[in-house]
Amino acid sequence: MLPGSTTGPDREERRTMDLWTPEREQWNKGFAVLCGVDEAGAGPLAGPVYAAAVILPREMEIPGLNDSKKLTETKREALYGLVTAQAEAWSVAFATAEEIDELDILNARMLAMQRAIGGLPARPDLCLIDGNRDHGSRVSIEAPHVTLVGGDGKSASIAAASILAKVSRDRYAVQELDARYPQYGFARHKGYGTKAHYAALDEYGPCPAHRRTFLKKWEARR
């Protein structure tokens, strides 16, 4: 092994520590209580868009913590349990398919994130928002915040929020949508526009959980 290199758990621990860099920058500016915020489910054809807000203990070690998209489902589920058990505060919220159709997806994402922040039992001094957008045409993030492009892979707090949002939305697709509308196969594709999903739409048409504004191209082809 090369000097200074790491493998296995040591490497995971080092990566977790590196994820605290954005938080340290804000602590040094005087923001004591930081909250990571992220959303999941902007792309599917059906169901709500979810968001989570998480306040972690300072420099808490969470081995394997990373952007939820880079983790297996099993790893996300395990980290979900760790984050919810050890976070100082956390909140999950969503905007419905009806709200997505009424507002558009960007505004609905902002609404879900603002709701998640508002659901925290403690008020953060500053929120770290994943991405480069903090408002749509009708909805804005109202809490004090900064945006961070690629934040779910750079910030421990945002990575934790990305996991809570992703797991919560996937659970909804499997436990609620699939149980209610089994003909669409939501447990397999989670509502995304797969070939099987479009085939089910061709056969059965949309269900009440579908985002009608996401089906315009499909409807035009019929």
Side-chain angles (χ1 to χ4, degrees), residues 24 32 45 58 88 96 119 151 161 179 206 218:
R24 292 190 196 103
L45 307 179
R58 286 197 180 201
E88 291 185 357
T96 66
W218 170 80

Side-chain angles (χ1 to χ4, degrees), residues 107-140:
N107 282 287
R109 286 169 53 208
M110 299 301 118
L111 180 61
M113 288 194 285
Q114 184 59 44
R115 283 174 173 168
I117 297 167
L120 290 168
R123 183 178 179 85
D125 296 325
L126 187 73
C127 297
L128 308 180
I129 309 291
D130 182 55
N132 63 352
R133 304 297 295 270
D134 61 359
H135 69 279
S137 59
R138 299 168 63 181
V139 182
S140 300

Side-chain angles (χ1 to χ4, degrees), residues 66-84:
N66 202 344
D67 172 4
S68 64
K69 297 185 293 295
K70 298 177 181 178
L71 301 170
T72 65
E73 182 174 354
T74 299
K75 187 65 173 178
R76 286 196 299 266
E77 286 284 349
L79 286 168
Y80 180 99
L82 286 173
V83 171
T84 54

Side-chain angles (χ1 to χ4, degrees), residues 23-43:
E23 282 83 352
R24 292 190 196 103
E25 292 175 355
Q26 300 303 329
W27 289 328
N28 290 337
K29 294 178 183 178
F31 297 103
V33 181
L34 300 179
C35 166
V37 186
D38 200 4
E39 50 82 16

Side-chain angles (χ1 to χ4, degrees), residues 33-219:
V33 181
L34 300 179
C35 166
V37 186
D38 200 4
E39 50 82 16
L45 307 179
V49 58
Y50 271 72
V54 180
I55 301 174
L56 294 175
R58 286 197 180 201
E59 308 273 358
M60 183 176 76
E61 294 180 8
I62 308 177
L65 184 65
N66 202 344
D67 172 4
S68 64
K69 297 185 293 295
K70 298 177 181 178
L71 301 170
T72 65
E73 182 174 354
T74 299
K75 187 65 173 178
R76 286 196 299 266
E77 286 284 349
L79 286 168
Y80 180 99
L82 286 173
V83 171
T84 54
Q86 298 183 44
E88 291 185 357
W90 62 274
S91 170
V92 173
F94 60 85
T96 66
E98 292 80 9
E99 288 172 322
I100 292 169
D101 285 340
E102 177 186 354
L103 296 171
D104 76 33
I105 187 59
L106 175 59
N107 282 287
R109 286 169 53 208
M110 299 301 118
L111 180 61
M113 288 194 285
Q114 184 59 44
R115 283 174 173 168
I117 297 167
L120 290 168
R123 183 178 179 85
D125 296 325
L126 187 73
C127 297
L128 308 180
I129 309 291
D130 182 55
N132 63 352
R133 304 297 295 270
D134 61 359
H135 69 279
S137 59
R138 299 168 63 181
V139 182
S140 300
I141 302 296
E142 300 170 0
H145 66 276
V146 294
T147 58
L148 182 60
V149 176
D152 45 8
K154 299 175 181 176
S155 156
S157 302
I158 298 177
S162 78
I163 289 166
L164 265 57
K166 173 65 174 169
V167 170
S168 297
R169 195 198 181 278
D170 283 356
R171 287 178 178 177
Y172 178 84
V174 173
Q175 298 171 8
E176 300 289 336
L177 287 181
D178 194 69
R180 202 175 303 160
Y181 310 107
Q183 66 271 34
Y184 296 97
F186 287 117
R188 295 191 301 276
H189 53 65
K190 310 297 192 299
Y192 285 90
T194 64
K195 184 180 292 187
H197 192 175
Y198 277 114
L201 280 166
D202 290 338
E203 183 173 357
Y204 302 108
C207 73
H210 277 101
R211 306 170 182 178
R212 299 307 292 258
T213 52
F214 279 46
L215 300 180
K216 291 180 179 179
K217 290 183 179 180
W218 170 80
E219 290 174 340

